[in-house]
Structure formats: C-alpha cells, structure tokens
Amino acid sequence: MTNDEIQLFTLIAFAVILVLALYKLYAMFNTPVSGPDTKTYHAQLEALIIDFLKRVKKTDLNAQELFELLIQQDEFNDEIHKNFNHNRLNQLLQQLFYTYEVNSLEELISQIHKLGPDIGKEDNA
C-alpha cells in the first residue's frame, strides 16, 4: 500500500465513524424522556392543590404548613410526585394567585371556597 492509499483508507474510516457518532448523538438527545410532560405535570399538581384547598377547613395557612399537609396526602406518595418540593409549590401558588386574582394564600383559599365545588372542572375537560 502506498501512502495515498493509506491516507484515503484512514479518511474513509474517519468519515464512517464520524457519521455513526453523530447519528448516536442525534438519537440520544432526541429520545423523549418517559413520564408526563411538564404541562401535564403542572396541570395535575394544580388540580391536586385546588382539590386539597377545597377540602381544607383552616384558611390561615402559610406555604410551609400547606406543603407539609400536601405531602401527607396519598396522592403525593406515588412515584410521579416524588420531586414535589417547596419551590414547585411556590411556583404553583404564584400561578394560582394570578389566575384567581388574589394576593395571599388565605385569599386564595377563601376564593376557592366561594367559587364552590365545580372549580377546576372546566380546566380538565
């Protein structure tokens, strides 16, 4: 074999390996993650929180107390909600404050009680 043939063979081998590596990277980064997507997860958590707030009798809760009560619920003991934390609760509460046009958790609970048991049903339909 001459130097030109060796260089050509090396170039072809490099090109084939590069194409295979790029294909593997493409396949790895474009494979969807198993489980619910972020919007579905957000909607599920929001529905669980609203359902819980409908049932709660105490209206002067703070976010810490609400979090502790929520994680004691059976709905939050499954594998889907294992990453639920204070930050996620605060994000959901801020979204609910905006949605129901209130400024505090106490106002949110009062607003949900005032709107009645059908609240949140139209979001899931």
Side-chain angles (χ1 to χ4, degrees), residues 9-11 13 16 22 25 40-41 46 54 57 78 80 85 87 92 100 102 116 118:
F9 177 73
T10 305
L11 183 63
V16 169
L22 290 175
L25 285 172
T40 304
Y41 183 63
E46 192 172 286
K54 283 187 224 177
K57 303 288 186 237
D78 58 5
I80 296 172
N85 58 27
N87 290 335
L92 289 164
Y100 294 104
V102 296
D118 292 333

Side-chain angles (χ1 to χ4, degrees), residues 102-115:
V102 296
N103 295 320
S104 68
L105 184 56
E106 185 175 342
E107 291 176 16
L108 177 64
I109 295 170
S110 299
Q111 182 76 5
I112 288 174
H113 285 179
K114 186 170 68 172
L115 292 174

Side-chain angles (χ1 to χ4, degrees), residues 62-69 71 83-93:
N62 62 29
Q64 176 67 30
E65 293 170 337
L66 178 61
F67 178 76
E68 290 171 3
L69 290 172
I71 60 173
N83 294 327
F84 182 71
N85 58 27
H86 291 284
N87 290 335
R88 187 71 178 145
L89 175 64
N90 288 334
Q91 291 172 354
L92 289 164
L93 287 176

Side-chain angles (χ1 to χ4, degrees), residues 16-64:
V16 169
I17 292 172
L18 179 65
V19 168
L20 289 174
L22 290 175
Y23 172 73
K24 289 294 280 182
L25 285 172
Y26 173 79
M28 183 174 60
F29 288 116
N30 286 321
T31 303
V33 179
S34 63
D37 62 11
T38 305
K39 289 183 182 181
T40 304
Y41 183 63
H42 179 82
Q44 288 174 349
L45 284 175
E46 192 172 286
L48 287 173
I49 290 171
I50 289 173
D51 288 340
F52 178 78
L53 292 177
K54 283 187 224 177
R55 297 187 314 258
V56 72
K57 303 288 186 237
K58 186 177 176 185
T59 60
D60 59 340
L61 292 172
N62 62 29
Q64 176 67 30

